[in-house]
Each structure stands twice: as C-alpha cells, then as structure tokens.
Amino acid sequence: MATAPQHVTLASMSRDVAAWVDEVAQLTQPKKIYWCDGSDAEFVALERELVADKQLLPLDSRSFPGCVLSRSDPSDVARVEHLTFVCTRNKEDAGPNNHWIAPQEAHRQMDALFAGCMQGRTLYVVPYCMGPLDSPFSRCGVEITDSAYVVLNMQIMTRMGRAALERIARDGAFVKGLHSTGDLDPKRRFIMHFPEELSIKSFGSGYGGNALLGKKCHALRIASWQARTEGWLAEHMLIVGIENPQGEIYYLACAFPSACGKTNLAMLIPPASYQGWKVWTVGDDIAWLHPGKDGRLYAINPESGYFGVVPGTNAKTNRNAFEMIHKDTIFTNVGLTADNQPWWEGLTEGTPVTDWQGRPYNRAISPAAQPNSRFTVSAKQNPSYSKLADAPGGVPISAIIFGGRRRALAPLVYQARNWLHGVLMGAGVASETTAAATDAVGVVRRDPMAMKPFAGYNFGDYWAHWINVGAKLKFPPQIFHVNWFRQDHAGKYLWPGYGENLRVLRWIIDRCNGKASARDTAIGHLPNSHDLDLQGLEISGAALEELLAVNPLLWQEEFAGIDKYLAEFGERVPQSLKTELSQALQRVHSSQV
Ligand code: OXD
Ligand code: MN
C-alpha cells in the first residue's frame, strides 16, 4: 500500500475529486481512505491482502501463475436489469427502455443505503480513464468503492491510478461513481445512473457489470448520453481488424447482445485454408465511435482488459483467450480440480472436485463453473492484441455488423441498402437470452443495437442520434447483420461458427470494397452461395440454402413485431425510421405475391 505522503500528493491533484471524496466519506464513515495509484506494487499488495483474508484463492502456480479465484455470493452472479435505473429529471428522457426513478427520490433512497455503510471498511478512491490516456476521445471517472476485488478488476479493465488522476486534473471533468457491496442483500441492491449529473450510485452487488463502474455504467449508459450531446456514439460493440494476405487491414465494429460470442469473434483464429490472414483485436465489448475529419467513422476501445465469460472457452472455440488466461488472471466463480487448477464446462481435460460455490462437485446439483463465471485479464496478454488498440485517434471503421442469436428467420448474413436501412436493421436486433442477465434463458427479446440494457436514454432519441451521426459521415461504414446461430429442425447448428466466421467477414469486407456480388432481396443484399468463399468447408447444399433463405411470411411477422416495438417509443421515434420500416414491410409483401 502507498504511504501517507503519497496519498496527500494524489489527493491534491484534483481538488474537485478530493472534495467529493470528503463528502462521500462523511456519508459512508469508512475506517480508512486509500487513493489508488495504479502501480503494479499496489496490485500485488492488495491481492496479497485478499489472499491472506481468504477472499481470493491463489491457483496452481505452475499451470496458472499469477492467477486467483474469487467466489461471489451465490445471489450475486450477474447484472440485475430489474434493479438498474436511469434517473433523468424527465421520465420520458430515460424512455420505456429503462427503469426510472426521479433523481431526488433516487438520491434519497441510495444515500440512506450508503449512510454508514463503510464503517470498519476501507474506502478506495479509483481514478480511471476510459480509452487511451492521450486520446481526445477518452473520458475519465473516479469510482469510490469499498471492494478491493473491484479495485483489482478496475486496474485490469481501465487505465487506472495516478495517470488518470493527472488527466482529470487537466480535463476538470469526471464521472462520479459511488459503489459499496453493502451487505449483498438482493433486496437492498440498486444500480442508479444520473446522466444529467454524470454520476452513478451502485449498492449491494460485487458483480462485474454492477460494480466495475467504468464498464457498463460509465462506458455505455452515461457515455451514450454524453455521446449524444457531443455528437458521437458509445456502443456495445467489439472492434476487430482483419488483415488480408496483401497486408491491408479492415476494421469492423460488431454489436451482438451479451454472450453471443463477441469475445470469440474479436480474437478469431483464421481457418486453416486462410493462409496469410490475420486478426487483430482492438476491443471485445465496447466501442466509442467518432466522426473523423476525413468523413470516416473512427473507433476506440475505452477498456484495457477483458471481462469474459469462461464456460465454453477452450483451444478450439477461442485459442487466444484460452492461452491468455493461463497467467495473471482473476477468475470469478469457476470450479477447481484437486490440484487447484480452475475448471469450467467446455474444458476437455481435468476433473473438477469443487464447484464455484466451494462445495464438493456434484454434476446433478450444479455445474462446476457458474454459467456466467468470468475471467478478468489484461488485453495486452492477448496474442492478437492490435498495435492500434492504444492509438489516440482510434481505427477507421469499414463496416458495422449487427447480430443476434436466432434459431430461425435471420439469414447467415445480409447487408443494409444504406445507413438509414442499417439503423432499422440495428433497431430490429433481437436475440435469445443467455446467462449474462438474470432473465430466463432462451427467450427471444428485442435488443436494439444490443443496447437494450445499456442505452442511457430513450431509444427513440437514440435512433434519431444514430441517423444524425450517419448524416455527418461522407464515407459511412456499410451496415450488415449476421446470425451464427441458425438451427435446423432437429436443433443442429447450420453454420460451424468460430474461425469459419472469417468467411462471412471476408464477404463483408469485399462488399465494402465493391468486390463481392450479392442478390437483392426484400430484406437487403444477400450473398449467393457462390459469393461466399467455402473452400475447404464441409457444409451441405441444403444447409447453405437454408442459411441464405428469406422467408417473406416470417419476415412479415418480424416487421410487424418491430413496428409494435417501435410504437412503444411513440413520438420520439424518428419519422424517417418509421417510413423505412413501412417500406421494408411493403417490400416483403410484394416479394410474396
Ligand atoms: C458483458 C455483458 O458482461 O454484456 O459484457 O453482459
Ligand atoms: Mn457486453
């Protein structure tokens, strides 16, 4: 831990931060206040303390050097959308897509929970920067937390500590995030956002998305609001660079709902027949997109680490992730083998003896790893880490790709006619739910732009903002939709997915360059089977036909569903989007007759 004189130096860097820390300390009554400097020594010391206190378990140091296991309270293993609020002065500004409480009432409720909650605990001050420290697109925040686990995770996930505080002192602005694990009582658990005040209050959960306030709370909910006022986009998107054998790199930004394979796609391994192709990861979860002076759209990843779902990660599904999580990784809620190695469903080796709750493993009672168990790891450990991941100006985006987990309906890939049609495509994203949220699993839900849990304001205004950003771009990215999850009648996946998805990305890039052909359909441009590079892939003609089919009857139903959904947002839905939808409906109608 840093010594007192260093605390004084850090605290004196920003008077605004120090004044807010004092105010919070008055309310929460901590035993101690500690300003995080973000150094390696600090990380090691804090981790040691948690190990000594049995809050973290060191893992086998031969096979997993520097790795630790954290076990959550069993009631606290996922984001809690039903307890997450956007507290704007005007309810309409939060929109039907968010739970809402008036700011005054929200502060009253939250401050009552925070009163005295840090007695006997340490209050950690965590200054952080979302995005490269020297990027004009980055934004800073300070999280106050009483969880040392949160501090460690924030150190991996953000540029945290002294350098961030220096930037805050220069910028003069920062997002205030106040967090306490409280007593982890689900009845006293709330995540509240105050976009007009650029502040967040989170109580009663230690889980990543609820507690690492830089991630979903700041980089999406608060940032999407800031982005709207400042003319950019904060999106739930991975950013990946695809390098062809000629050495040209094309950057794609892809929005898929939680646990639809964003991390896997962001660090995909090309199939064997793709000699000379390389994949470069810029980010796996969040993209901040800015119109550039040259009329293109540029993306930065505000994060510096990955908070990925562990189950299913293996050398075949995601070799890069599998390799990088063998050192210096925080595992949360996985099982253990007899020799203290982490174990999760999807591993082909090892035998679990202890489940994620620390009980003897019994497959009939529980999986070894909680389905939403996580790894936290520095992005720099990724073998496919992009050289431009830290570039202050970001990377130019050639294509935006939406997608969802749909057993039926959505073809493998299709392309929007133009930006406005693409915005409609994004607004229509729907997916079968997974374990990252606490909802029932397997239910189709609308998730526009994969931002349903994360847009910090009314979706009607959000779509209007998307349309406005497009209008500013002389060279807007092409917009596509993909679906890796189509199944046949017996429930078998029709597309192999994983590395083979590069074949689809190749068509997408070639479309952006005007090199690939397509057929025009009622829902957009689709590849003919001969337009896709399928060399070396075993796939039946029937499967391909199904993957590339457009069923007008089903699409009529889908568009009617989207129409009904948009209607929930009433007058705030831009007229041009409604017109685009009625034209889409008209097109499927006519394609049927
Ligand atoms: C995540 C999520 O953790 O989307 O990234 O839930
Ligand atoms: Mn996510």
Side-chain angles (χ1 to χ4, degrees):
M1 285 251 175
T3 55
Q6 189 193 9
H7 295 179
V8 175
T9 320
L10 283 170
S12 61
M13 274 185 197
S14 167
R15 255 190 268 137
D16 292 351
V17 178
W20 178 56
V21 170
D22 278 349
E23 195 188 298
V24 170
Q26 290 287 332
L27 176 69
T28 57
Q29 300 287 306
K31 181 175 74 180
K32 205 163 110 190
I33 297 179
Y34 177 77
W35 289 68
C36 299
D37 63 17
S39 63
D40 291 347
E42 175 181 271
F43 187 95
V44 170
L46 217 43
E47 197 172 63
R48 245 185 233 144
E49 271 179 35
L50 289 181
V51 168
D53 201 34
K54 303 231 175 338
Q55 292 186 52
L56 286 181
L57 253 96
L59 296 171
D60 177 49
S61 60
R62 270 168 310 120
S63 47
F64 286 86
C67 295
V68 288
L69 168 65
S70 161
R71 291 194 182 117
S72 310
D73 184 276
S75 77
D76 186 33
V77 293
R79 286 186 287 101
V80 281
E81 285 172 29
H82 61 297
L83 303 173
T84 299
F85 293 79
V86 170
C87 311
T88 46
R89 282 192 295 269
N90 175 357
K91 184 174 183 191
E92 281 303 301
D93 291 338
N97 44 311
N98 283 301
H99 299 295
W100 175 87
I101 306 186
Q104 242 186 340
E105 176 56 16
H107 280 305
R108 195 190 59 72
Q109 282 184 24
M110 293 305 276
D111 291 352
L113 293 172
F114 278 108
C117 74
M118 295 190 191
Q119 277 169 22
R121 300 184 184 182
T122 299
L123 178 159
Y124 298 94
V125 182
V126 186
Y128 62 87
C129 179
M130 300 311 292
L133 280 160
D134 50 355
S135 168
F137 303 147
S138 300
R139 294 286 181 275
C140 291
V142 176
E143 174 163 359
I144 291 179
T145 178
D146 56 9
S147 161
Y149 165 85
V150 165
V151 176
L152 293 181
N153 278 270
M154 284 292 284
Q155 182 153 356
I156 296 174
M157 296 302 296
T158 71
R159 282 90 172 167
M160 184 272 255
R162 175 178 287 274
L165 197 55
E166 278 166 3
R167 178 160 171 163
I168 291 172
R170 282 199 307 275
D171 287 359
F174 65 100
V175 169
K176 292 176 180 161
L178 174 53
H179 169 256
S180 170
T181 50
D183 50 9
L184 295 174
D185 177 352
K187 288 199 234 53
R188 290 152 49 82
R189 180 175 294 160
F190 298 102
I191 327 296
M192 306 258 186
H193 302 76
F194 305 88
E196 286 144 336
E197 302 166 23
L198 300 185
S199 78
I200 305 154
K201 290 185 177 174
S202 165
F203 190 90
S205 169
Y207 171 77
N210 306 325
L212 312 180
L213 300 186
K215 192 173 180 59
K216 305 296 189 181
C217 300
H218 177 164
L220 288 175
R221 298 195 191 95
I222 298 288
S224 60
W225 175 286
Q226 270 186 304
R228 179 172 170 238
T229 55
E230 297 173 7
W232 49 282
L233 294 166
E235 298 299 322
H236 190 204
M237 291 176 172
L238 69 92
I239 309 162
V240 67
I242 308 290
E243 181 173 341
N244 64 20
Q246 294 76 51
E248 297 156 338
I249 307 182
Y250 296 90
Y251 292 93
L252 315 173
C254 312
F256 307 151
S258 302
C260 279
K262 286 213 304 296
T263 304
N264 293 347
L265 189 68
M267 46 197 82
L268 166 157
I269 305 281
S273 62
Y274 271 60
Q275 289 299 315
W277 289 75
K278 294 190 186 108
V279 170
W280 301 111
T281 315
V282 180
D284 79 326
D285 195 40
I286 299 176
W288 285 359
L289 303 160
H290 285 257
K293 286 199 183 72
D294 60 358
R296 300 188 71 184
L297 191 64
Y298 284 80
I300 62 160
N301 171 16
E303 301 188 287
S304 59
Y306 310 119
F307 183 67
V309 175
V310 186
T313 305
N314 59 43
K316 187 162 168 274
T317 57
N318 190 337
R319 194 172 79 215
N320 286 325
F322 188 63
E323 276 176 20
M324 74 179 139
I325 63 178
H326 275 73
K327 66 165 193 176
D328 297 332
T329 299
I330 301 174
F331 287 91
T332 303
N333 294 338
V334 295
L336 284 179
T337 62
D339 55 354
N340 236 19
Q341 298 192 36
W343 199 92
W344 55 88
E345 280 64 23
L347 283 186
T348 46
E349 282 169 21
T351 312
V353 295
T354 308
D355 76 9
W356 64 278
Q357 295 188 56
R359 305 172 301 190
Y361 170 63
N362 178 346
R363 198 205 301 217
I365 295 179
S366 161
Q370 210 282 336
N372 193 34
S373 51
R374 298 282 174 149
F375 55 76
T376 317
V377 65
S378 164
K380 295 210 170 102
Q381 286 185 203
N382 179 0
S384 66
Y385 184 65
S386 164
K387 284 194 246 354
L388 292 186
D390 264 316
V395 294
I397 296 298
S398 298
I400 287 175
I401 306 176
F402 295 114
R405 187 181 280 272
R406 302 293 299 260
R407 270 168 252 214
L409 184 82
L412 178 62
V413 57
Y414 58 110
Q415 180 187 10
R417 290 164 208 288
N418 52 43
W419 183 267
L420 182 58
H421 185 218
V423 174
L424 177 64
M425 209 177 241
V429 167
S431 195
E432 286 147 22
T433 52
T434 65
T438 47
D439 299 294
V441 171
V443 178
V444 173
R445 78 162 188 178
R446 298 248 149 247
D447 195 349
M449 277 79 172
M451 282 287 279
K452 167 70 187 68
F454 308 122
Y457 63 101
N458 189 314
F459 260 150
D461 299 334
Y462 170 85
W463 296 317
H465 180 53
W466 259 81
I467 294 168
N468 290 340
V469 169
K472 280 197 229 159
L473 299 170
K474 196 158 165 218
F475 306 106
Q478 296 292 311
I479 301 183
F480 297 80
H481 188 287
V482 297
N483 178 16
W484 316 132
F485 302 98
R486 278 296 293 274
Q487 293 176 17
D488 66 12
H489 293 300
K492 190 170 162 280
Y493 285 108
L494 291 166
W495 179 250
Y498 301 109
E500 306 297 347
N501 292 338
L502 185 55
R503 298 172 189 275
V504 174
L505 302 186
R506 182 180 187 174
W507 180 77
I508 286 175
I509 290 166
D510 284 348
R511 284 298 290 172
C512 295
N513 286 329
K515 284 200 214 146
S517 46
R519 71 195 162 101
D520 192 14
T521 77
I523 61 164
H525 305 298
L526 257 86
N528 299 290
S529 52
H530 60 258
D531 295 324
L532 290 173
D533 169 25
L534 300 172
Q535 224 184 17
L537 182 72
E538 271 181 39
I539 186 163
S540 74
L544 255 185
E545 200 174 310
E546 211 169 326
L547 280 166
L548 299 177
V550 178
N551 180 328
L553 263 184
L554 288 184
W555 276 101
Q556 239 170 280
E557 268 173 40
E558 179 74 1
F559 285 137
I562 295 172
D563 191 32
K564 199 160 149 231
Y565 184 72
L566 294 197
E568 287 176 32
F569 300 87
E571 289 307 305
R572 298 237 181 172
V573 180
Q575 186 52 48
S576 56
L577 194 66
K578 292 188 204 163
T579 309
E580 189 66 30
L581 176 60
S582 54
Q583 284 170 359
L585 196 54
Q586 189 54 45
R587 276 195 299 266
V588 277
H589 254 300
S590 359
S591 74
Q592 215 190 331
V593 285

